[in-house]
Amino acid sequence: MDDLARAVEAALFAAEEPMSADALSAFLGDAAPGEVRDALHALAAHYEDRGIRLVERGKRWHFETAPDLAHLLRREKEQLRRLSRAATEVLAIIAYHEPVSRAEIESIRGVQTSGGTLDVLMEAGWVKIAGRREVPGRPTIYATTPEFLEHFGLASRRDLPGLAELRATGLLDPVDDAYEDLMGEAPTETKADDGADEPESATDDSSLA
Amino acid sequence: MDDLARAVEAALFAAEEPMSADALSAFLGDAAPGEVRDALHALAAHYEDRGIRLVERGKRWHFETAPDLAHLLRREKEQLRRLSRAATEVLAIIAYHEPVSRAEIESIRGVQTSGGTLDVLMEAGWVKIAGRREVPGRPTIYATTPEFLEHFGLASRRDLPGLAELRATGLLDPVDDAYEDLMGEAPTETKADDGADEPESATDDSSLA
Amino acid sequence: MNEGLLFSDPPQSEADESWDGIASPTPASGKALYLELDGWEGPLDLLLDLARRQKVDLRSISILALVDQYLDYIEQAGALKLELAADYLVMAAWLAYLKSAMLLPKDEQEDPSPEELALKLQLRLQRLGAMRDAAARLMGGDRIGRDVFLRAAPEGLEIARKTLWQCDQYALIEAYGRVKARTAPAIHMVRERPVMTLESALDRVSHMLGVTLDWMELQDFLPPHAEPRLRKSALASSFVAALELARLGKAELQQDETFGPLHLRRASTNG
């Protein structure tokens, strides 16, 4: 390996940006541009089958890793993470009330919902955008996905327990007894059915909150 | 050139930090550490006479330009910060005696070492706190880092220039030990152990200054 | 000393103060070098420099000659009205003592002997000299950024972390229950409670005061068989009633000690 090739190799390695043959020849002092070009081509040939390659892009040369190894250099690591409490609540609200807008979710939850929470649910593949509601402002509405049902072991959204069942298992405690009396509604069955088809029911519910 | 060698070459070329064989083998997925090590040594041999080299520094590997090309590359590179003589001495004392307490450093230098000197060396990433010596006062002890080996081009501490010779001539032993050796008194075993552990000996010495 | 001036240019123009320079000064002849004590990292540093000037192995250095040089130097510096740092003077004093001890007959020596002290000084100089040489060799190695260069623009190894979110059916349902429970309208109802109003307490207390002239305890004004909650209310109302009657001059209040029983009787003037 001759001295010029070594110098070119080192200079390109240490360079912050790709360099043209002329720039290299200027950088290396008295090297003739033609010789630098020869050296570049010789180096490119040397590196052809290696893990790194010397390539010319728009007359400027640089080293890069071999494209076929890209998959090795960009590894994906899967990381299990438990859904946060807030995200679980939002997911539940979407599941029970879908399709539902963010304002409706917030109204039901009684707290603001950060956009990140919906992003997480969409990233997880459990929630998708289901269009826009044809009301002023045309808000985006969200619904669950088939992956949601699969992950949670549900054949359909009807498998989600209704409010009456939730109450029976104590999941709705503490609910003031007066609530039910005042409302005089049996929310259970209508919920399970209507939830799927009637966005209005979601809106109704949210007016309670 | 086999696939593993190509992958190792590409990974080290792309990496922003030096990597150990173990880190490489973990990064490259299913590669056996032994095979990665073989590939590293084969690559190092391949690059030995080229413009760039593959070197091992403190068990971590990286590519760098060949030192004999320094004159070509040096000009536009950032200037190294100038280190005071005090700092270079302290660094050398830590490297050759590590782990070593500040009192021991001061005993060798005959002057107080300002905290700033150690701070500068730690900020540079070459020196770290290596715990405390379990003697009265529990003084902090210092040692060098892998970055120190990297920066100064040492494969390991064994490569410190003149280390073997300094050891052989006893120049790394505390003065009191050396004195007793000279006087023909076999240093007691406790001495040999305590030399490193006794800040007192250091304090006695520095009272000379 | 210039310990604090790391990374700055040394105060004097000696090239060997620099990062890359050889560590041991090999000064040119002449007095210029001697004019600044700050050129040395303390007395030991100066001693080492003087010792190296003898151009012999540190192992065979003449401590006596070295001591003379140091004392000469300090004296000269003093004559030039240089401020001498205390540690240089302490070292000078110690060396003067060492020198006198070395010149005295052996049998008058104390312990430790001057030979031992001199030898230890020599050993210290050897060690400092060795470290200084080591530092110079270290700085002379193939250093990154000066002798060897790293790749300036590495692509970097990317580890894209993909998150697999986990949640289960129970957590989902429980979350919905939580939302519903949290946002359900809370209805508060205040149950009727037995109370004694201030008006009825006023009536009751003033009426009872009319019956006797003796002091009565406030407790005695309360309805005798009231349930605890009514009793509390009655106590509060009766106390306020007593204060009100006292303000109107219709009753007198007396309490012997803090938190003691409160006594009440009809105002005598009003009788």
Side-chain angles (χ1 to χ4, degrees):
Chain A
M1 184 171 193
D2 68 45
D3 283 347
L4 182 59
R6 290 184 72 231
V8 167
E9 187 177 61
L12 280 177
F13 172 85
E16 311 225 348
E17 297 193 333
M19 292 176 87
S20 67
D22 288 345
L24 274 166
S25 121
F27 182 80
L28 296 174
D30 46 6
E35 287 175 18
V36 169
R37 251 178 283 273
D38 290 347
L40 282 165
H41 287 289
L43 282 169
H46 170 81
Y47 279 103
E48 199 157 21
D49 299 318
R50 299 192 67 86
I52 54 186
R53 307 189 315 168
L54 182 60
V55 292
E56 185 182 10
R57 298 263 185 273
K59 299 215 177 298
R60 301 200 303 164
W61 294 78
H62 73 268
F63 279 110
E64 62 179 31
T65 52
D68 65 304
L69 297 174
H71 65 286
L72 283 174
L73 306 179
R74 254 197 75 138
R75 299 197 75 79
E76 287 208 337
K77 272 201 178 165
E78 294 193 331
Q79 194 177 19
L80 286 183
R81 271 183 74 184
R82 217 171 158 72
L83 207 57
S84 74
R85 195 181 154 101
T88 310
E89 285 183 14
V90 171
L91 180 61
I93 291 167
I94 295 173
Y96 273 88
H97 296 265
E98 76 177 39
V100 63
S101 73
R102 183 154 148 194
E104 288 155 2
I105 295 169
E106 289 180 353
S107 162
I108 295 168
R109 273 192 80 209
V111 268
Q112 289 228 324
T113 299
S114 80
T117 309
L118 281 164
D119 288 348
V120 160
L121 294 173
M122 289 195 278
E123 184 202 320
W126 295 334
V127 165
K128 63 174 187 242
I129 289 173
R132 291 180 179 276
R133 178 150 299 153
E134 292 304 337
V135 295
R138 302 187 70 242
T140 307
I141 47 178
Y142 300 89
T144 54
T145 62
E147 288 78 25
F148 162 79
L149 294 175
E150 199 178 319
H151 183 91
F152 287 88
L154 299 166
S156 80
R157 285 185 49 254
R158 282 160 206 258
D159 290 355
L160 286 171
L163 281 184
E165 290 168 79
L166 293 182
R167 190 166 301 115
T169 53
L171 282 169
L172 286 187
D173 293 337
V175 173
D176 200 307
D177 291 344
Y179 167 72
E180 210 179 342
D181 297 340
L182 278 170
M183 297 302 116
E185 285 174 17
T188 329
E189 282 161 42
T190 46
K191 259 289 150 289
D193 291 341
D194 293 356
D197 308 320
E198 277 186 331
E200 288 76 17
S201 74
T203 324
D204 285 346
D205 259 9
S206 63
S207 67
L208 289 179
Chain B
M1 184 173 191
D2 68 45
D3 284 347
L4 182 60
R6 290 185 72 229
V8 168
E9 185 178 58
L12 279 178
F13 205 75
E16 277 152 349
E17 297 274 321
M19 291 177 87
S20 67
D22 288 344
L24 275 164
S25 117
F27 184 81
L28 296 174
D30 43 9
E35 287 173 17
V36 169
R37 254 177 280 273
D38 291 346
L40 283 165
H41 287 289
L43 283 169
H46 170 81
Y47 278 100
E48 200 157 22
D49 298 319
R50 300 189 66 87
I52 54 184
R53 313 187 299 176
L54 180 61
V55 293
E56 182 183 11
R57 301 282 180 250
K59 299 209 180 300
R60 304 198 301 169
W61 294 76
H62 71 260
F63 279 107
E64 62 182 31
T65 56
D68 65 301
L69 299 172
H71 63 287
L72 287 172
L73 306 172
R74 196 174 288 163
R75 59 189 104 175
E76 284 177 23
K77 290 292 166 184
E78 65 175 308
Q79 280 293 103
L80 284 180
R81 294 194 299 181
R82 287 160 75 90
L83 200 59
S84 71
R85 202 179 71 193
T88 63
E89 275 180 31
V90 171
L91 181 60
I93 291 169
I94 294 173
Y96 285 80
H97 291 82
E98 74 177 42
V100 63
S101 72
R102 186 152 147 187
E104 289 155 1
I105 296 169
E106 290 178 352
S107 148
I108 293 170
R109 296 190 62 230
V111 277
Q112 294 225 324
T113 298
S114 81
T117 309
L118 283 164
D119 285 351
V120 159
L121 296 173
M122 288 198 277
E123 192 202 328
W126 296 334
V127 165
K128 63 172 189 240
I129 289 173
R132 292 181 178 277
R133 183 149 292 156
E134 292 303 336
V135 295
R138 301 187 71 241
T140 306
I141 47 179
Y142 299 88
T144 53
T145 62
E147 287 76 18
F148 162 78
L149 297 176
E150 261 154 55
H151 183 89
F152 290 95
L154 304 167
S156 74
R157 277 194 65 244
R158 279 192 300 274
D159 287 357
L160 283 168
L163 181 68
E165 195 190 330
L166 288 170
R167 272 199 187 131
T169 50
L171 280 171
L172 297 180
D173 300 334
V175 165
D176 286 345
D177 292 6
Y179 176 77
E180 283 174 26
D181 275 353
L182 280 174
M183 292 299 102
E185 299 171 21
T188 59
E189 275 171 40
T190 47
K191 245 315 166 244
D193 290 342
D194 291 358
D197 303 328
E198 271 189 338
E200 287 79 13
S201 72
T203 320
D204 288 348
D205 269 2
S206 64
S207 68
L208 274 182
Chain C
M1 310 308 97
N2 52 3
E3 282 272 314
L5 299 172
L6 296 162
F7 290 143
S8 65
D9 283 330
Q12 62 284 93
S13 56
E14 289 169 59
D16 53 27
E17 282 290 311
S18 81
W19 173 233
D20 303 321
I22 47 167
S24 162
T26 48
S29 58
K31 281 190 176 176
L33 193 86
Y34 288 85
L35 295 182
E36 275 230 61
L37 282 176
D38 274 356
W40 284 273
E41 292 273 340
L44 204 61
D45 191 28
L46 171 57
L47 272 169
L48 179 63
D49 187 35
L50 294 170
R52 287 202 158 157
R53 243 175 258 243
Q54 296 186 15
K55 299 211 166 146
V56 288
D57 191 326
L58 278 174
R59 279 171 294 186
S60 51
I61 199 90
S62 158
I63 289 293
L64 203 53
L66 182 63
V67 168
D68 279 339
Q69 285 175 32
Y70 183 90
L71 294 177
D72 281 354
Y73 172 74
I74 293 296
E75 198 178 332
Q76 194 184 5
L80 289 167
K81 295 186 182 170
L82 288 177
E83 277 190 38
L84 287 177
D87 47 356
Y88 285 89
L89 294 174
V90 169
M91 177 62 94
W94 186 82
L95 289 177
Y97 162 78
L98 175 61
K99 179 181 169 186
S100 62
M102 288 169 86
L103 296 174
L104 283 174
K106 280 229 184 289
D107 50 342
E108 293 177 25
Q109 296 310 327
E110 300 169 24
D111 191 56
S113 71
E115 282 75 19
E116 177 180 343
L117 294 176
L119 181 55
K120 282 192 173 174
L121 176 60
Q122 188 181 347
L123 291 171
R124 294 194 68 198
L125 290 175
Q126 280 177 32
R127 272 151 189 74
L128 179 58
M131 279 303 104
R132 183 149 309 163
D133 294 343
R137 291 173 72 180
L138 200 55
M139 296 300 140
D142 288 340
R143 291 175 49 203
I144 288 175
R146 187 190 66 179
D147 306 292
V148 298
F149 298 90
L150 302 179
R151 195 163 174 223
E155 290 92 338
L157 298 176
E158 196 179 341
I159 297 182
R161 297 202 182 276
K162 189 170 184 245
T163 305
L164 284 186
W165 292 99
Q166 278 205 313
C167 191
D168 58 32
Q169 206 184 97
Y170 177 77
L172 184 78
I173 293 164
E174 193 246 1
Y176 191 66
R178 192 165 61 227
V179 168
K180 290 312 253 183
R182 187 173 65 218
T183 59
I187 293 171
H188 301 283
M189 284 201 244
V190 180
R191 291 213 173 80
E192 205 177 326
R193 283 185 54 192
V195 292
M196 181 184 278
T197 62
L198 181 55
E199 287 75 22
S200 59
L202 264 175
D203 282 351
R204 185 180 167 84
V205 172
S206 54
H207 176 76
M208 287 175 76
L209 278 178
V211 176
T212 174
L213 278 172
D214 294 336
W215 287 105
M216 284 175 72
E217 230 187 284
L218 186 62
Q219 299 283 342
D220 299 336
F221 291 91
L222 306 185
H225 301 296
E227 58 137 334
R229 287 198 296 176
L230 176 60
R231 201 177 161 77
K232 263 188 177 172
S233 167
L235 180 62
S237 302
S238 301
F239 174 64
V240 176
L243 291 177
E244 178 65 14
L245 289 171
R247 189 181 69 83
L248 295 171
K250 292 180 183 168
E252 290 178 347
L253 288 173
Q254 179 181 310
Q255 189 177 29
D256 294 335
E257 52 177 337
T258 313
F259 300 123
L262 192 63
H263 291 97
L264 196 61
R265 73 172 178 190
R266 186 170 11 138
S268 48
T269 50
N270 217 16

